[in-house]
Amino acid sequence: MARRYSLYLVANMADLQPCPLQSALSSSCPPDGRWQFNTNVAFRCSADVIIEIYKVLKYTLFWNSQCLLSHSSDGLLVARYHKYNLYFEQAFDKPPQAEIITFDTPFAGKFGLIICFDILFRDPTVALVERGVRQLIFPTAWMNQLPLLDAIQFQRAFSLGANVTVLAANIRRDRLIMSGSGIYTPFSATYHHAKKGEPEEGRLLVARVPVLDPLWVGQGIATESTSSSSSSATDSGYCHQDSCTDLPPPSSVPPSYITFTSSMMYDPFKFVLLNKTEDKLQVCDGTFCCRLQYKFLTQGKELYALGAFAGTHIVNGRYALQVCAVVRCADLDTSSCGQEVEEAESKMEFVLEGTFETRYVYPSVLTSSLVLEQPQTLEKTADGRVTMKHWNMTGGLVTACLYGRMYHLDKE
């Protein structure tokens, strides 16, 4: 495909690498003397290397990169990345250290490679971004978990929070709740999220995106007129007046606002209910506080809550978080707040804000039937305050979230 259409192609596959038992890395060498890695490979092919491609694809699914890297000047294999953060992958080994892998293109500059669970961790994903890589390619087999980590929800959130382009290709497996792929820039989102029961077939997504690589010789950093801060005002003017930033200070929450604890994503969130048509609320988990100003525009017979969590997630992975989230509860009982919900009727204008001890905060707005909406404005200050404002909501709100990752605390 890459050869025929003269394009760059990234594929996810398995890679077998010999592991000499007497090598310096023998302490991590498996007993059978070989590593098996979850791997991304990037190709750019031309007609004069078709014989080499035939040899590889006809005889084996695994190959030693040493054989192919020597052909990179011909455009055969331009990059190979071994997944570092495994997720219940007994067939694969973890590389001795995280690889920071990129490749350059003549049309858009530099791209970085990551796989699936990597996107939740500092290495290699944030390490790539901190080195100036602003275009990431992301094959994944992502198990959707509402209300905070649906595939398209976090793909979009990472693109916005890190100010990068993410090209995400998810596998489709209904029995494992895997679905959702997209092309995301800080300005736009083109995505598809198949519903359970729909035919399990692929979907081709095509989008024109800006070049974000600042070092690309053909063009500087692109700008677009559709950035999140350029949306027009709503008729009511409620959530984008100056008063919308007048959120309650930590000590001003009335005692009538009862805080309760409920499990969300296996973490004990502190919640407070949205009991009025419009209000200002605050909820704290220890010293970490989340603030919300909201006004319901349409309100179904649904229960909503504002949640806060600060701590280490320890189920199916270990990573430190600070999260502010407005969620639709599964029913009218407070114990259902934090459970998975896909549909909602209620629409609101809101300002969601938290003061985070990390600069890595990923925002998202997910509405009914798993439709993404672009926040109207996102603001960050030097003291860690992150504010997300949204109005003109077109679908019922499922989740509005500021997902903060405390990478520096992951190993504590």
Side-chain angles (χ1 to χ4, degrees):
M1 290 167 59
R3 175 191 59 80
R4 177 174 296 178
Y5 298 107
S6 298
L7 50 75
Y8 281 75
L9 178 75
V10 174
N12 179 260
M13 55 173 289
D15 183 21
L16 183 150
Q17 291 284 334
C19 170
L21 292 174
Q22 304 303 318
S23 72
L25 299 176
S26 59
S27 60
S28 62
C29 185
D32 61 358
R34 69 184 193 185
W35 285 302
Q36 293 180 183
F37 297 118
N38 186 341
T39 305
N40 281 346
V41 289
F43 289 99
R44 187 193 185 284
C45 295
S46 56
D48 58 349
V49 294
I50 185 171
I51 295 176
E52 294 296 333
I53 297 174
Y54 176 80
K55 288 179 180 177
V56 172
L57 298 185
K58 178 176 174 62
Y59 292 114
T60 181
L61 287 177
F62 305 97
W63 62 72
N64 187 327
S65 63
Q66 304 284 328
C67 300
L68 297 183
L69 284 173
S70 62
H71 294 288
S72 61
S73 60
D74 296 324
L76 185 55
L77 181 69
V78 294
R80 178 218 61 206
Y81 165 69
H82 293 145
K83 184 181 179 184
Y84 186 63
N85 300 285
L86 301 183
Y87 186 84
F88 298 101
E89 299 172 63
Q90 288 80 7
F92 293 117
D93 299 300
K94 182 174 182 175
Q97 60 188 18
E99 302 172 345
I100 308 300
I101 303 297
T102 63
F103 63 92
D104 293 295
T105 67
F107 55 85
K110 193 178 298 292
F111 288 82
L113 295 175
I114 59 174
I115 301 172
C116 204
F117 207 35
D118 285 333
I119 202 170
L120 285 178
F121 296 90
R122 186 189 184 282
D123 295 324
T125 307
V126 174
L128 282 164
V129 176
E130 289 180 342
R131 294 186 185 196
V133 180
R134 298 191 60 204
Q135 301 168 145
L136 301 177
I137 299 178
F138 178 58
T140 181
W142 191 275
M143 302 176 70
N144 293 311
Q145 190 166 19
L146 291 165
L148 304 182
L149 289 179
D150 185 81
I152 62 170
Q153 179 185 21
F154 196 73
Q155 292 162 11
R156 183 72 185 117
F158 190 86
S159 173
L160 283 175
N163 197 30
V164 297
T165 290
V166 177
L167 311 180
N170 196 8
I171 199 169
R172 173 78 187 282
R173 291 288 185 272
D174 279 356
R175 66 181 182 85
L176 296 176
I177 325 175
M178 293 177 176
S179 176
S181 304
I183 302 169
Y184 309 90
T185 78
F187 321 105
S188 62
T190 301
Y191 60 95
H192 176 66
H193 199 310
K195 303 297 191 300
K196 188 174 182 179
E198 293 180 2
E200 290 202 24
E201 57 187 19
R203 178 70 63 93
L204 176 66
L205 298 176
V206 179
R208 181 177 294 275
V209 300
V211 175
L212 297 185
D213 183 355
L215 300 179
W216 186 56
V217 295
Q219 180 178 328
I221 297 177
T223 58
E224 289 200 358
S225 61
T226 55
S227 67
S228 60
S229 61
S230 64
S231 300
S232 60
T234 62
D235 292 337
S236 68
Y238 179 76
C239 263
H240 44 86
Q241 294 175 344
D242 292 340
S243 62
C244 277
T245 59
D246 185 23
L247 295 171
S251 60
S252 68
V253 179
S256 58
Y257 291 104
I258 299 174
T259 300
F260 62 96
T261 302
S262 186
S263 178
M264 181 159 66
M265 310 286 293
Y266 304 104
D267 295 319
F269 273 71
K270 303 297 184 185
F271 283 104
V272 62
L273 295 177
L274 280 62
N275 280 327
K276 299 180 179 180
T277 301
E278 59 182 271
D279 205 355
K280 297 179 181 180
L281 300 174
Q282 176 177 277
V283 65
C284 300
D285 185 9
T287 59
F288 174 67
C289 295
C290 303
R291 297 174 289 278
L292 175 71
Q293 180 175 353
Y294 71 93
K295 178 182 179 180
F296 280 106
L297 303 177
T298 60
Q299 190 168 7
K301 193 175 182 181
E302 298 169 329
L303 187 66
Y304 281 83
L306 169 66
F309 174 73
T312 300
H313 176 89
I314 58 173
V315 177
N316 299 337
R318 182 181 181 87
Y319 41 92
L321 300 170
Q322 287 184 330
V323 180
C324 294
V326 181
V327 296
R328 190 216 141 182
C329 307
D331 54 42
L332 300 181
D333 192 292
T334 57
S335 63
S336 73
C337 297
Q339 295 180 10
E340 295 190 16
V341 173
E342 291 189 11
E343 305 295 332
E345 297 179 0
S346 303
K347 302 176 184 178
M348 68 176 75
E349 299 176 337
F350 67 82
V351 180
L352 177 63
E353 180 180 282
T355 301
F356 294 80
E357 297 174 24
T358 175
R359 59 192 178 97
Y360 305 104
V361 180
Y362 306 111
S364 64
V365 178
L366 187 67
T367 63
S368 191
S369 299
L370 305 180
V371 174
L372 297 171
E373 294 199 8
Q374 177 95 345
Q376 254 67 32
T377 65
L378 293 168
E379 301 170 2
K380 295 184 179 182
T381 62
D383 63 355
R385 181 167 55 88
V386 179
T387 306
M388 176 170 65
K389 303 179 183 180
H390 192 52
W391 58 92
N392 283 339
M393 187 172 288
T394 59
L397 181 64
V398 172
T399 309
C401 180
L402 297 173
Y403 196 90
R405 276 291 281 114
M406 309 278 284
Y407 298 115
H408 60 290
L409 297 180
D410 281 357
K411 295 182 180 180
E412 293 190 2

